[in-house]
Amino acid sequence: MNLAVRDVRHHAGRFVLTSVGIGLLLMIVMGMGGIYRGLIHEATLLVDRVGADLWVVQGSTRGPFAEVSRLPANLEDRVRAVPGVAVARRFVSHTFQREHQGRALRLVVQGLSWPEDRGDWAPLVAGRPLRQAHFEMIADQSLQLPLGERVRLGKDMYEVVGLTRGMVGSGGDGLAFLTVSDAMAVQFDVPGEAVRLERAARQARLENLDLGRVTPQLSERALGPTSELPALGPPQVSAILVTLSEGADPARVAATLSTWPDVTVYSTQQQKDLLLSGMVDKARRQLGLFRALLIIISTIIIALIIYTLTLDKIRDIALLKLIGARNRVIIGLIFQQALLMGVLGYALAWWLGGFAFPHFPRLVVIETADLVQLAFIVLGISMLASLLGIGKALNVEANTVLAT
Amino acid sequence: MESVPGVEATRLTKIYGHGHTEVVAVQDVTLRVARGEIVALLGPSGAGKSTLLTAMALINPPTSGQIRIGGQLVMDGDRALVDLRAFRRKNLGFVFQKANLIPFLNARENVQVALEVNDVPPRAAHQRAMELLEYLGVGTRADNLPDALSGGEQQRVAVARALANHPSLILADEPTAALDSHRGRQVMELFARVAHEHGTAVIVVTHDARALDVFDRTVHMEDGRLKNGKSPGG
């Protein structure tokens, strides 16, 4: 005869309500683990999908995701000339927020190196890759931009021609793929007034110099577009993506590029490690701390409930001792209840999570290994939580049944 | 009546506290109850009846004296000579003023649990529990929880539980206190029937003088001592 189940049946309401509470707590514990997995997935998604063998970034930086990296766009040509390099692409990545149809539109703009890269590698769920050098974009579904939608970015309108699913940046914001030149135009867009002021300032600086006063032609050039000023640097990109030739040794190519003092080279794995050790690591520790706290809280709640249920049964436990029940019968009664509460809570967490997690603002990835790990944790906390009740029960004297 | 001893308490003394707070609850009591004999233990409140009963029930060790059950020495002073819980499981049955049924078990399960803790297989325990409930006239109430039973029915279930493992000794502490006189007498007659039919030694602590005729013997206690004993006829 299973005493635990019969007692639970007798106190079904209280037991089920407590289990629901435990289930919700465990669902959050489960969700925290899933959010961490989601962070890793999101952080490394682009690095995995973009299909580069090497990442060339600004010297002595850990860009372009972990920190800002600025490289001259024409570095692409230098890289292409290195033996073993099959393709070199410019890569631009920056996050910004605009108002679009009355709502905040926060997106991560990724520049595709047109015409070599049209975004064919992106997992399209609707539409097509880019077909022209300007004013088209591929957007992730999370941005809630339908196909054919026209979005103003900077001074230009961009039409959504393709949709991806699950393509988000490490911050959880949806990706928007434009050509590199469009991405740079968006990135370096400044208002007309700022352009006018800068030109005026340039002219003023020039008039203060002898060179400006004696060279009228220079003064005229200073009033022209910034891109036509030879003294200014070329347009800048975030990184150069390298695809190696068939059979090329990545270490050898990386070693060659690393001899250049103005760049740093990372393999795809190193780039992922940078993302995980930097940006994701603190979030991981934060989530881990929350998980630990919630597990402790769950343990305390189960322990208190089991203890309360045990207190309610003191007379029954004394009676069981009086009629000669062995300790294992009494321990089994309490432990099985704690276990049942844990198992019910776990099952509820799993079931509720199936409904709730897809609606979380961040991606939640639940892996089987994490579910198994949590199952063992629940088993452990159930055992731990039952100790308080078991300790109380074992100290009950058989003659208590006479005193109560 | 059999002369084989069901229980034998020899020079039993129980003292609570010490020094100025010392209370002698039972003093130098010797009591022998044979198998198949039912004895009423009478006396005013505070006479030490319940203390004597719980000492013989092996849940309240005496300060000095010996207790033999079924001829086996089980307590020598406050020293247990056997595993008391295992010994209670196999040899003793208890009935109290309140039935003390486990509230989350139905009538049958309350009896069955006493059998299962004594390693009786569940199927056999189920059958034996039903037989006992039928024997005590509450077979039709087997599936009811204690809350749904009357006081008398609850007490019968408690008696069935006490009988479950064929104990050599049944100890009952005011088992009819919560019952009306008719029900009270029925329970006392039931104990007498169990004692005589099963050869069980039965000791009943009671204040109820209306059913004393069912006992083979009455024993009076006062101030922790036995005063005298007599058969119902005399």
Side-chain angles (χ1 to χ4, degrees), chain B residues 25-33 39-50 52 203-210 212-213 215-234:
Chain B
V26 174
Q27 191 168 7
D28 205 25
V29 167
T30 296
L31 176 65
R32 183 177 181 277
V33 179
V39 172
L41 190 54
L42 305 172
S45 293
K49 307 184 296 293
S50 293
L52 178 62
I203 302 174
V204 181
V205 169
T206 182
H207 282 108
D208 189 353
R210 291 168 297 183
L212 290 182
D213 57 303
F215 291 91
D216 297 321
R217 187 156 56 102
T218 58
V219 176
H220 288 264
M221 272 193 89
E222 203 169 305
D223 297 333
R225 293 171 184 272
L226 285 188
K227 284 182 71 183
N228 64 322
K230 63 178 181 181
S231 297

Side-chain angles (χ1 to χ4, degrees), chain A residues 8-268:
Chain A
V8 166
R9 209 166 51 191
H10 195 64
H11 297 105
R14 181 159 50 152
F15 195 86
V16 167
L17 273 178
T18 308
S19 298
V20 169
I22 298 293
L24 288 171
L25 273 173
L26 290 177
M27 187 190 82
I28 298 171
V29 173
M30 203 178 270
M32 291 276 183
I35 289 169
Y36 166 60
R37 293 284 176 205
L39 279 180
I40 292 176
H41 179 79
E42 288 176 343
T44 57
L45 182 70
L46 185 64
V47 178
D48 279 332
R49 289 287 175 86
V50 81
D53 297 314
L54 295 173
W55 292 68
V56 181
V57 302
Q58 181 183 338
S60 304
T61 70
R62 290 171 171 75
F65 304 108
E67 66 174 293
V68 171
S69 164
R70 291 273 173 261
L71 290 170
N74 59 13
L75 184 73
E76 176 188 16
D77 304 319
R78 279 165 62 196
V79 173
R80 198 174 285 135
V82 173
V85 173
V87 178
R89 292 175 280 159
R90 287 166 291 163
F91 180 81
V92 172
S93 177
H94 54 93
T95 303
F96 68 97
Q97 186 170 321
R98 293 285 185 275
E99 282 285 316
H100 177 68
Q101 295 184 345
R103 68 180 173 93
L105 178 66
R106 187 174 168 80
L107 45 79
V108 183
V109 167
Q110 300 292 329
L112 300 178
S113 187
W114 177 273
E116 298 88 1
D117 187 355
R118 299 162 186 255
D120 302 277
W121 51 269
L124 291 175
V125 292
R128 57 170 175 78
L130 304 183
R131 279 196 194 143
Q132 60 186 47
H134 295 290
F135 314 128
E136 286 190 348
M137 69 188 283
I138 300 168
D140 189 70
Q141 277 183 327
S142 61
L143 295 171
Q144 298 175 343
L145 297 170
L147 272 182
E149 179 95 341
R150 291 170 62 77
V151 183
R152 174 171 291 282
L153 299 174
K155 292 186 179 63
D156 302 307
M157 298 294 284
Y158 294 83
E159 182 183 351
V160 178
V161 298
L163 290 175
T164 59
R165 180 182 294 152
M167 292 296 285
V168 294
S170 57
D173 303 312
L175 298 185
F177 298 94
L178 283 68
T179 61
V180 165
S181 54
D182 282 353
M184 289 164 68
V186 171
Q187 185 179 11
F188 299 115
D189 172 61
V190 288
E193 181 61 16
V195 173
R196 278 193 294 278
L197 288 171
E198 170 56 21
R199 284 179 187 169
R202 252 186 251 150
Q203 190 176 23
R205 284 199 297 274
L206 204 58
E207 284 169 358
N208 286 335
L209 298 172
D210 288 342
L211 182 66
R213 284 195 289 270
V214 298
T215 323
Q217 202 173 9
L218 190 59
S219 178
E220 284 171 21
R221 292 293 295 270
L223 289 170
T226 303
S227 60
E228 290 175 12
L229 294 181
L232 294 178
Q236 292 188 314
V237 295
S238 303
I240 301 296
L241 306 186
V242 176
T243 305
L244 297 175
S245 311
E246 188 79 25
D249 178 10
R252 194 181 174 90
V253 176
T256 304
L257 291 168
S258 296
T259 58
W260 300 355
D262 57 339
V263 301
T264 299
V265 183
Y266 296 112
S267 67
T268 297

Side-chain angles (χ1 to χ4, degrees), chain A residues 1 3 6-7 9-10 313 315-316 319-327 330 398-399 401-402, chain B residues 54 59-60 85 88-89 94 96 98 100-105 109 112-114 116-117 119 145 161:
Chain A
M1 183 191 313
L3 296 175
R6 280 165 174 77
D7 186 31
R9 209 166 51 191
H10 195 64
K313 286 194 292 284
R315 189 193 184 95
D316 307 324
L319 184 78
L320 285 169
K321 287 188 172 184
L322 184 71
I323 64 175
R326 295 173 178 86
N327 279 343
I330 292 154
N399 57 18
V401 77
L402 304 174
Chain B
T54 54
I59 54 177
N60 187 13
R85 210 187 293 185
R88 284 199 303 269
R89 187 163 62 227
F94 307 91
F96 308 100
K98 291 168 80 175
N100 280 321
L101 300 180
I102 296 175
F104 53 85
L105 301 181
E109 289 166 341
Q112 195 174 331
V113 71
E116 287 192 18
V117 299
D119 301 327
L145 288 173
R161 184 179 61 199

